[in-house]
Amino acid sequence: MGARDLLDALGDAGMSVAAEGDRLVIRPGSKLTDELRAALREVKPELLALLRGAPDLRQPGPAAAACTVDDAARQRYVARLLRLHWPKADAEAFAGRLVERDRSGDERVSCFECRHYWPGNCANFRWAGLGERIVSSELAGLLQRCSGFAPFQPK
Ligand code: SF4
């Protein structure tokens, strides 16, 4: 698994990754499996280089660390949206909005973060209060509070 794939896998599993000096900081570390630890060891230099690719990383300190986390999160969101066949420009714009949401503490969610969503459809539409399973791209791209939401977890 390459560094970018590993970053995506960690993000999909609910973990954040940041570079602090020569260290990789994974939160929450309690979610790391032995397999993921081994994969991290294998690609550590590549992953550090990838995380340091954020422009603000030229400035050391807490602001740089925050930028790293934001950039890693943005990349994970873009990757997830692209897997769900979102156009690249839309995926990048919405990923930026989601990073802002995370920063602000806004608790609303989007369909694309939900395990019940696949392109154009909601498998949990009754619990979501929808009359049918069809979910338009406009609805999927809204931040909302949904009673049917369950976070996406990769198998
Ligand atoms: S359960 Fe709610 S958040 Fe999940 S896909 Fe359906 S409408 Fe979207």
Side-chain angles (χ1 to χ4, degrees), residues 31-100:
K31 287 190 168 185
L32 274 177
T33 62
D34 289 344
E35 188 182 6
L36 285 171
R37 281 180 209 283
L40 280 165
R41 274 194 297 272
E42 265 181 37
V43 300
K44 182 178 175 183
E46 193 186 339
L47 194 49
L48 283 170
L50 181 66
L51 292 167
R52 287 173 178 148
D56 287 359
L57 289 180
R58 295 186 204 114
Q59 305 295 325
C67 176
T68 306
V69 172
D70 285 353
D71 191 60
R74 190 188 61 75
Q75 289 177 35
R76 285 198 309 274
Y77 288 137
V78 169
R80 169 85 174 137
L81 286 160
L82 292 178
R83 283 199 294 273
L84 291 170
H85 312 300
W86 279 48
K88 191 163 191 277
D90 291 350
E92 287 177 348
F94 194 47
R97 196 162 162 227
L98 290 166
V99 169
E100 291 297 323

Side-chain angles (χ1 to χ4, degrees), residues 109-112 114-118 121-125 127-128 130 135 139 144 146-150:
V109 296
S110 65
C111 291
F112 99 90
C114 178
R115 75 174 61 159
H116 299 301
Y117 177 75
W118 77 95
N121 289 275
C122 168
N124 199 25
F125 65 98
W127 280 101
L130 301 175
V135 174
L139 176 59
Q144 55 169 320
C146 175
S147 53
F149 176 82

